[in-house]
Amino acid sequence: MFSALVIAVGVVLVRGDDTVIRPPAPSPSATGETTTREDQASELLARLEDGLGEGDRRAVLGLAASAPSARRSLQAIYGNVQTLDIEDLSLRYVDEVGGKLTDADRRTLGRRAWVGEVELSWRLGRYDKGRNEMEVAFTFVDTGDGVAFGSAGGPYDHGAPLWLLDDLALRASGRTLVMAADPGDLEKYSALAVRAVTDVNKVLPSWRDDLVVEVPGSQPQMERVLDAKPSTYGSIAAVTSTVDGSARESAPAHIVVNPVVFGRLGADGAQIVMSHEATHVATDAAISSMPIWLLEGFADYVALAHVDLPVSVTASQILSDVRRKGAPTTLPGAEEFDPANQLLGASYESAWLACRLLGERYGERKLIAFYEAVDDGMSVDEAFPRLLGTSEREFTREWRAYLEELAS
């Protein structure tokens, strides 16, 4: 997963304009051995790791470069590590990241700054059962006497955890934790998260884990947290993902909110989205490979199970489509759930109605058993006849008729 560190000594590069670029010369250590800036960056990270782990604020802030932004960044990181009770923190220098600094970092940190790739691992003490592992970008500054911290989590083709990017406000309530870039968001999202836990437990009473909700300050910051390309989630209100983006079974999963889209939702819509995402957390959907219509449809089934809204409201888009051009011929797949799909809302609604139909035809307990069997690896081709006494083809026919009946 991680590339080996390769140090080239005595290399001279000549650009097309004949400008000669020489890497900074290694400096001798007190013992006479050559110390590279990579070695110095590794030493800085070890001191940062120790300072954060020991709660030594002065030691942590003493690692900052002279730029005020570097000290502010370390202040935020220190505060987040302490208030989030981050444990098992590890920082390891991997390699230098090719390419230039951003103009902003060059102006702030100077010409002697560079970008390094850092292997980061950690967990939230109470809330994460497993460790999170990811590579993040740090900027370092060659001071002449050593290396200082410049920034962490910058825009260098790497994701980064929210606690590394912003000074966060926190609210813990029962089984929920909300971390938000804007303190004004805490009360709203905490109430939604607490209600979401209740909603999920009404359908899945055996789920007893905690729920973590991350609320970045902007959509670009959300996409940094998810290591996504710009505008990927322009139409998505929230996403459930493993924190480090991996598919490891032990990887913790959090809800990450898009504050721009989520902020436009009404009270009912906001709660439905939060309860939908909480269902994903409860069922480990972030690492599931089941058909997406079942994955998303079941999450909406749980979120809407105890909501007093007519189907004409909760499925308005798909029913409108059915009236115009008839029912879809197949259950929605990956293409229909592409965030760029202009009919994305109708895809979610059609998947929900498929699971609603399963619940009505066979009962909620059989729907849950069907979902869990497919989640455990049974194919839908096998699960339909074995658990429900039908076939996917026959169910699809019934689902199409169901849509047409609701749309009439």
Side-chain angles (χ1 to χ4, degrees):
M1 178 178 178
F2 304 108
S3 58
L5 174 62
V6 179
I7 302 172
V9 180
V11 178
V12 178
L13 305 178
V14 182
R15 293 203 313 237
D17 58 2
D18 295 329
T19 302
V20 177
I21 306 172
R22 300 178 184 272
S27 58
S29 67
T31 61
E33 297 176 351
T34 299
T35 303
T36 67
R37 70 178 188 180
E38 288 83 1
D39 295 329
Q40 293 173 329
S42 295
E43 181 183 350
L44 180 142
L45 290 173
R47 292 165 61 193
L48 176 59
E49 182 182 316
D50 289 342
L52 292 171
E54 295 167 4
D56 190 337
R57 183 175 182 273
R58 176 176 294 182
V60 169
L61 298 185
L63 301 175
S66 59
S69 62
R71 184 178 177 88
R72 288 195 300 270
S73 178
L74 281 179
Q75 284 178 323
I77 292 170
Y78 176 84
N80 292 338
V81 168
Q82 306 310 311
T83 56
L84 283 168
D85 189 25
I86 289 178
E87 298 181 354
D88 300 334
L89 177 64
S90 173
L91 297 160
R92 186 179 72 86
Y93 189 88
V94 178
D95 203 352
E96 183 168 344
V97 175
K100 298 180 179 180
L101 289 168
T102 64
D103 290 341
D105 276 344
R106 187 174 297 280
R107 287 193 301 269
T108 302
L109 302 175
R111 297 178 63 252
R112 302 186 74 173
W114 86 95
V115 183
E117 189 175 75
V118 174
E119 178 188 331
L120 171 66
S121 65
W122 79 98
R123 67 182 182 88
L124 302 189
R126 168 185 165 184
Y127 298 93
D128 291 345
K129 292 182 178 179
R131 291 168 64 92
N132 306 288
E133 302 173 356
M134 64 192 308
E135 292 178 351
V136 299
F138 275 56
T139 57
F140 301 93
V141 180
D142 185 344
T143 65
D145 297 324
V147 168
F149 171 90
S151 65
Y156 297 101
D157 297 326
H158 286 69
L162 186 59
W163 62 264
L164 206 65
L165 299 176
D166 215 325
D167 186 8
L168 302 179
L170 312 177
R171 175 166 295 183
S173 180
R175 290 164 54 196
T176 68
L177 172 69
V178 175
M179 60 177 86
D182 183 352
D185 288 335
L186 285 178
E187 183 176 355
K188 168 187 173 181
Y189 285 103
S190 181
L192 291 168
V194 170
R195 168 67 184 279
V197 169
T198 300
D199 287 348
V200 173
N201 278 148
K202 288 177 180 177
V203 180
L204 302 171
S206 62
W207 178 55
R208 305 308 305 165
D209 292 336
D210 296 322
L211 182 68
V212 179
V213 180
E214 303 187 18
V215 189
S218 64
Q219 182 178 313
Q221 192 175 70
M222 175 219 191
E223 290 164 342
R224 184 79 56 78
V225 170
L226 296 169
D227 195 17
K229 295 179 180 179
S231 301
T232 297
Y233 295 105
S235 60
I236 302 296
V239 172
T240 296
S241 173
T242 54
V243 178
D244 57 13
S246 74
R248 292 179 296 110
E249 289 187 5
S250 62
H254 296 176
I255 297 172
V256 183
V257 170
N258 182 344
V260 175
V261 179
F262 204 104
R264 295 197 292 262
L265 299 174
D268 288 332
Q271 188 60 66
I272 290 168
V273 169
M274 189 64 73
S275 297
H276 173 109
E277 299 302 331
T279 305
H280 283 332
V281 174
T283 58
D284 294 325
I287 59 172
S288 177
S289 59
M290 72 168 63
I292 195 166
W293 70 265
L294 182 57
L295 187 87
E296 298 295 354
F298 184 76
D300 265 352
Y301 174 86
V302 175
L304 289 163
H306 300 278
V307 173
D308 187 19
L309 290 172
V311 70
S312 60
V313 172
T314 52
S316 60
Q317 296 180 61
I318 185 59
L319 297 184
S320 177
D321 285 351
V322 172
R323 293 186 192 103
R324 287 199 322 270
K325 55 188 180 184
T329 58
T330 60
L331 292 161
E335 183 177 348
E336 285 78 14
F337 282 99
D338 187 319
N341 180 13
Q342 297 298 313
L343 302 177
L344 184 61
S347 299
Y348 275 92
E349 292 171 359
S350 66
W352 165 59
L353 289 174
C355 288
R356 184 175 186 255
L357 175 59
L358 288 173
E360 290 179 0
R361 289 279 196 275
Y362 306 100
E364 185 171 278
R365 290 181 64 182
K366 283 197 172 182
L367 166 61
I368 294 171
F370 178 82
Y371 180 91
E372 290 177 343
V374 176
D375 191 35
D376 287 342
M378 185 182 295
S379 70
V380 291
D381 287 340
E382 182 180 359
F384 268 114
R386 176 176 291 191
L387 299 175
L388 303 178
T390 187
S391 66
E392 182 174 2
R393 181 176 181 179
E394 177 60 21
F395 172 72
T396 301
R397 187 192 65 76
E398 293 178 1
W399 167 72
R400 297 186 70 242
Y402 185 60
L403 292 178
E404 289 168 352
E405 179 184 349
L406 290 172
S408 62

